[in-house]
Every structure is written in structure tokens, then in C-alpha cells.
Amino acid sequence: GQQVMQIPQYQHVQEGEDFTTYCNSSTTLSNIQWYKQRPGGHPVFLIQLVKSGEVKKQKRLTFQFGEAKKNSSLHITATQTTDVGTYFCAGSGRSGGGADGLTFGKGTHLIIQP
Amino acid sequence: SQTIHQWPATLVQPVGSPLSLECTVEGTSNPNLYWYRQAAGRGLQLLFYSVGIGQISSEVPQNLSASRPQDRQFILSSKKLLLSDSGFYLCAWSLTGGVTEAFFGQGTRLTVV
């Protein structure tokens, strides 16, 4: 079955440093989604990428979808304490059917030291 | 606007006791509904999903079952809890048609003792 691997599992950074998490799929994806989960909270949708090579930005967050649609990355510039949490990627190999086609990575826990 | 309610927020149950977690969605019709379990270091594991009333698909064999008695109600149950059932359980919904984002409930932290 489809597997989505995410690295690193944990990342400690000093406040103000950049942060990147990587997501790799064993199969070609039709799209990829990113979620953020604050400590003690629930995952919240951030963005969805659909096109090969797509790049999207949300303020300090940059999301990329690989040309082969098998990998993705999330980069945060100049981290702030509010960025603390776990970032999940979720890939789908199907273009329809809702989120039942989503396979979540294990997440990257971002820890920020002030 | 759409909202999702999940309760209880925390639960401590003895081994062998039954379980019933309830999730309801408001503000939308015929949503896809999901139950996930999140164990430490293991990400989000899809347990069940439903595309309509009475329609349940199970992703993994386990000690749990799910039911959808009404369009916007999704229930996770167990007849006899095991220690390994401990975890953070999340209900979610999404729109039907196409791959759309999942909206998660607040979660239930279940500890089986």
C-alpha cells in the first residue's frame, strides 16, 4: 500500500532560525496536504498542493510539491514560538473520493528554543 | 459555518469495559466522516470512514467498531477495551467529491487502565 514517510521526526531550532520538514511517498500522489497540530490540540488544515512542481506560500511558510509528485516539503522562515507543533503531510493517490484516500506521515515535531 | 463536536475530551476506562465516543457535525449535509487514532510517534492512523448513513469501511482489523446512525453522527465503540486501545482518538469530516481537506474534532484522550 501507499506509504508516506516524513523526516525528521523531531527538530529543535532556536527562535529565528529556519525549519524544513520533508515528505516522501512510495507512489505518485495526485495531491498532498499539510496539517499543523499544536501541543494538546487537533490537526488543522494548512494547504493542499495538486500540480507537479507547485509552490505555495503562506506568510513565512513555503510549501513545495516535487516534479515527480512523490515528495513535498514545508519550509518555515525565521521561526517564532507560535510555530511550535507537529506538522503532518498527507498524500492521496486518488483524485476523488474524499479524505479516505489520505495517508498521513508520522509528522515532524517542531520544538523552538527562545 | 460548519462545526464538529467530539466528546468526551478525556476518558479513563478499565480494561474490559465498553467504549462509546460520539461525534457530530453541524452545518453541512452528507459529509464523509472518519475516525483516526493517534498514538505517540505513530502519526494518524485511519480506523474507519463513512460516506453515508449505515455505510462503514474499516481500514484496520481491531477491537473497535463504528456506526453512523444519522447523517451527521459518527460513533466509535468497543465491547471490551484492551490496554492497547489507549490513545488520542480524532473524529473528522470532509466534503464528498474530490480530495478535500479533513476538518478534525478536538479529540478524545483515552487511557485504558
Side-chain angles (χ1 to χ4, degrees), chain A:
Chain A
Q2 182 176 291
Q3 292 185 346
V4 174
M5 291 147 287
Q6 198 173 346
I7 57 171
Q9 187 175 359
Y10 294 91
Q11 183 73 59
H12 292 77
V13 300
Q14 294 283 340
E15 186 176 7
E17 291 182 339
D18 293 355
F19 159 76
T20 305
T21 173
Y22 301 90
C23 188
N24 292 285
S25 170
S26 58
T27 59
T28 301
L29 301 170
S30 64
N31 65 78
I32 195 155
Q33 298 177 6
W34 285 92
Y35 292 78
K36 176 184 178 182
Q37 184 177 23
R38 294 181 184 273
H42 59 281
V44 175
F45 174 80
L46 294 176
I47 208 160
Q48 176 169 284
L49 305 172
V50 178
K51 300 177 183 176
S52 169
E54 188 171 14
V55 178
K56 287 188 176 180
K57 291 190 176 184
Q58 290 180 350
K59 297 183 180 179
R60 295 178 293 104
L61 277 62
T62 302
F63 304 83
Q64 291 187 318
F65 201 8
E67 293 289 342
K69 301 183 75 173
K70 294 182 74 173
N71 58 73
S72 181
S73 66
L74 158 59
H75 179 83
I76 302 178
T77 304
T79 54
Q80 301 174 359
T81 54
T82 53
D83 296 324
V84 164
T86 303
Y87 292 85
F88 292 96
C89 62
S92 173
R94 302 196 285 128
S95 58
D100 60 280
L102 283 176
T103 301
F104 280 83
K106 291 186 177 181
T108 295
H109 302 265
L110 173 60
I111 299 111
I112 297 177
Q113 296 155 341

Side-chain angles (χ1 to χ4, degrees), chain B residues 9-71:
Chain B
T10 59
L11 192 59
V12 180
Q13 291 284 98
V15 169
S17 65
L19 172 75
S20 181
L21 301 181
E22 190 162 343
C23 173
T24 59
V25 179
E26 295 178 359
T28 188
S29 296
N30 195 31
N32 290 331
L33 295 172
Y34 312 87
W35 279 109
Y36 286 87
R37 177 167 58 201
Q38 186 174 26
R42 299 189 67 179
L44 289 163
Q45 181 186 34
L46 179 62
L47 301 175
F48 301 95
Y49 70 91
S50 172
V51 298
I53 296 174
Q55 300 178 61
I56 308 295
S57 295
S58 175
E59 289 294 299
V60 292
Q62 59 210 315
N63 184 39
L64 303 168
S65 62
S67 62
R68 185 170 178 173
Q70 299 180 42
D71 181 45

